[in-house]
Amino acid sequence: MAYDRMVQKPARTEVESIDAMPLDECREKLALLAKGISHPARIEIVRMLAGKPPDCQCICGEIVKALPLAQSSVSQHLKVLKETGWITGESMGASVLYCLKEGILDYYRQLMERIITIN
């Protein structure tokens, strides 16, 4: 049984603002996002959520079932992803529904490109 829920879209990450962003701020934002995906389990969670439509969210239990980790470990990884800006979480009763922040993958790519192409 799927646990996806159709809910309001998360806030979109503003890719357009990267060109105007000071280089130091770009570095800080890129470092924070890199920290978020610095563990294989968090990369897998991002991959799972990236495969869902923007208006679908995933219950923590569904993520736990897909990973070879305890629920407490998955919850900790979700907390890091949320704190570093990769995902949003919305309480729905006793469950928390998670999804990727809209536009976050493009935002990460563009930050990386901006940093790499600076001479």
Side-chain angles (χ1 to χ4, degrees):
M1 172 179 255
Y3 293 99
D4 294 340
R5 301 287 187 262
M6 302 295 274
V7 296
Q8 185 177 16
K9 287 184 179 181
R12 178 161 177 78
T13 303
E14 294 301 322
V15 174
E16 304 81 34
S17 65
I18 293 172
D19 290 337
M21 192 182 298
L23 190 55
D24 286 343
E25 186 178 347
C26 283
R27 286 186 185 113
E28 289 175 20
K29 289 181 182 290
L30 182 60
L32 184 64
L33 288 170
K35 176 186 175 191
I37 57 170
S38 66
H39 190 281
R42 293 196 291 268
I43 292 171
E44 181 59 17
I45 293 168
V46 168
R47 188 197 65 74
M48 288 173 58
L49 295 176
K52 300 210 174 279
D55 55 351
C56 272
Q57 294 191 346
C58 191
I59 292 177
C60 180
E62 184 179 343
I63 297 169
V64 170
K65 286 179 187 177
L67 297 174
L69 299 171
Q71 189 276 332
S72 59
S73 294
V74 172
S75 291
Q76 185 61 35
H77 287 303
L78 289 167
K79 179 183 175 198
V80 171
L81 287 168
K82 191 172 180 183
E83 289 173 348
T84 57
W86 281 98
I87 64 173
T88 60
E90 179 182 329
S91 294
M92 183 166 278
S95 300
V96 179
L97 305 175
Y98 293 97
C99 68
L100 276 186
K101 194 175 209 180
E102 188 178 349
I104 194 67
L105 294 172
D106 288 335
Y107 187 72
Y108 183 75
R109 282 186 208 110
Q110 294 222 0
L111 280 170
M112 182 66 79
E113 287 174 9
R114 170 106 193 272
I115 296 299
I116 289 173
T117 58
I118 296 297
N119 293 334

